[in-house]
Amino acid sequence: MDVKFLIAGDRAVSVEFGKEICLEINEKVRMLEEELKDNPIDGVIEVVPTYCALIVHYHPEVVRYNNLVEALKVRLGSMRSLETKKKIVKEVPIFYGGETGPDLEYCAQLEQVSVEELIRRHSEHEYYVYMLGFAPGHPYMARFEEPFSFKRREEPRVKIPARSVVVQQNLSDLIPFEQPCGWNIIGSTPLDICNYDKEEPFLLNAGEWVKHVPITKAEYDQIRRDVEKGTYQVKTYSLEKTAGERRG
């Protein structure tokens, strides 16, 4: 296995499995993450999965860099495949268009399709959560069927609303907080992407799958009220991986 160990400041090491953004490489990242959960290394504080690497944060006064790398090599040799694990799917309701989806019609024009067809393409396929980044709980997700042809906007917006659904090509993100963004906004979810009042603050985690479910504005408002009351339950279920997903 061709793995690189890169120094990331004075308290972290990046274990890099490659450069390509794909399921196969990302699964290796998650395999090492699972191995470190099962067989922790003294001095390691936290691990953070990315597209192609696992960032390992550590206390240098507990474990030195060279010793940490050697311990990580041992863990790499004992990693177990995740192929037998089922994929966890979470349903995320989306209200498309309106004031919270100002780019929906524009994106449909770029694709030369109807608004209804654009929504179908976005919502019909499941998305894989590669990683969380940019902001706490911010999921970077991709679908593997019917990608859009358009990329990000030429001029980014300085500020977009929390819970916005933003897209480009085969990628789709959920915006956890009011923040800058250069992607196209096609809708909004009534769910909190990140809520620090909860024991588990993040709606999604790396390695999970997402199914977008189109809803009406009335349904959006009702779900939002339920979320604020703390009574809404995200629909979550398990599915068998397809052959393509197992291969990456």
Side-chain angles (χ1 to χ4, degrees), residues 138-177:
H138 184 150
Y140 281 75
M141 304 182 291
R143 71 179 186 276
F144 303 97
E145 301 88 0
E146 297 188 289
F148 298 137
S149 62
F150 56 82
K151 298 182 180 180
R152 58 189 296 134
R153 295 167 54 87
E154 291 185 5
E155 294 186 9
R157 293 180 171 97
V158 175
K159 184 169 60 177
I160 70 171
R163 305 192 305 277
S164 292
V165 181
V166 298
V167 297
Q168 65 157 317
Q169 297 183 310
N170 68 323
L171 304 177
S172 184
D173 289 6
L174 301 173
I175 304 301
F177 303 104

Side-chain angles (χ1 to χ4, degrees), residues 175-227:
I175 304 301
F177 303 104
E178 192 176 79
Q179 64 188 58
C181 184
W183 292 23
N184 305 279
I185 310 172
I186 63 170
S188 177
T189 178
L191 306 187
D192 289 331
I193 315 306
C194 178
N195 184 346
Y196 284 116
D197 290 332
K198 295 182 177 181
E199 183 176 350
E200 296 292 336
F202 299 155
L203 172 65
L204 303 172
N205 297 288
E208 295 177 340
W209 294 76
V210 170
K211 175 68 174 176
H212 295 126
V213 179
I215 58 173
T216 65
K217 182 61 166 62
E219 290 172 323
Y220 178 98
D221 292 339
Q222 181 58 57
I223 293 173
R224 186 62 199 159
R225 287 192 290 269
D226 293 341
V227 168

Side-chain angles (χ1 to χ4, degrees), residues 72-83:
L72 288 169
K73 288 179 180 178
V74 172
R75 302 311 190 274
L76 287 167
S78 57
M79 292 190 314
R80 296 182 300 278
S81 174
L82 301 175
E83 289 187 358

Side-chain angles (χ1 to χ4, degrees), residues 60-147:
E61 62 271 24
V62 177
V63 58
R64 306 303 294 174
Y65 174 81
N66 290 335
N67 294 334
L68 174 60
V69 169
E70 291 304 314
L72 288 169
K73 288 179 180 178
V74 172
R75 302 311 190 274
L76 287 167
S78 57
M79 292 190 314
R80 296 182 300 278
S81 174
L82 301 175
E83 289 187 358
T84 58
K85 289 195 173 184
K86 294 183 177 182
K87 67 180 189 180
I88 304 300
V89 182
K90 292 181 176 177
E91 290 193 356
V92 176
I94 305 294
F95 173 61
Y96 290 92
E99 294 181 359
T100 56
D103 297 327
L104 180 65
E105 292 186 4
Y106 174 66
C107 289
Q109 292 173 7
L110 291 176
E111 290 297 286
Q112 298 182 341
V113 298
S114 66
V115 166
E116 292 74 18
E117 172 62 12
L118 189 98
I119 293 173
R120 183 200 66 78
R121 292 185 188 181
H122 185 262
S123 62
E124 188 167 283
H125 308 292
E126 293 161 354
Y127 285 75
Y128 178 72
V129 183
Y130 272 109
M131 67 175 188
L132 305 182
F134 190 81
H138 184 150
Y140 281 75
M141 304 182 291
R143 71 179 186 276
F144 303 97
E145 301 88 0
E146 297 188 289

